[in-house]
Amino acid sequence: VQLQASGGGLVQTGRSLRLSCVASGSISQNYGVGWFRQALGKSREGVACASYQDGKDHYRDSVKDRFTISVVNANNTVYLQMNSLKPEDTAVYSCALGPCKLLLLGVAEYWGRGTLVTVSS
């Protein structure tokens, strides 16, 4: 499965962005689908994950109530709505497939090329 993220850009603190990711194959046959991010000089971390195992959405604490993940299975597309962006959200964001418990730790079975999000202060 190939994954391609898009929608990144440069925004000011407090503004919003919506990322999209299209998969070349079915995403609903996986345990979960979600988003990684990796800031310059830092390790990759999971941001959000929609689980097909428990039917719930999971988020890392730092983005709860600001980011929302949504999935359109028919189009094999996953979105990440990011509101109230902060400079510390600056990173390359990639979408990924795998169990949410691992994905939120930065581990996945499949992941694609990312899109850069830069939040200016």
Side-chain angles (χ1 to χ4, degrees):
V1 178
Q2 294 184 336
L3 302 163
Q4 181 64 57
S6 61
L10 172 64
V11 296
Q12 293 181 324
T13 296
R15 302 300 291 267
S16 300
L17 272 179
R18 188 193 194 204
L19 305 183
S20 302
C21 176
V22 179
S24 60
S26 174
I27 57 177
S28 61
Q29 296 180 4
N30 294 273
Y31 291 109
V33 57
W35 292 88
F36 286 148
R37 70 183 180 187
Q38 186 165 19
L40 189 63
K42 296 187 177 180
S43 58
R44 185 172 63 192
E45 60 184 21
V47 175
C49 188
S51 174
Y52 290 108
Q53 289 180 289
D54 62 14
K56 297 179 181 179
D57 298 333
H58 303 270
Y59 300 92
R60 70 182 301 108
D61 288 344
S62 61
V63 307
K64 282 181 181 177
D65 300 324
R66 297 191 298 121
F67 290 11
T68 303
I69 188 172
S70 58
V71 182
V72 180
N73 291 317
N75 296 334
N76 295 315
T77 303
V78 57
Y79 301 95
L80 185 67
Q81 178 66 42
M82 306 186 295
N83 298 329
S84 302
L85 283 162
K86 304 176 181 180
E88 51 263 43
D89 294 319
T90 295
V92 174
Y93 286 71
S94 305
C95 52
L97 300 174
C100 286
K101 188 173 184 178
L102 294 177
L103 199 149
L104 289 175
L105 294 174
V107 178
E109 298 177 61
Y110 304 97
W111 65 93
R113 294 184 64 179
T115 185
L116 176 62
V117 173
T118 304
V119 184
S120 63
S121 57

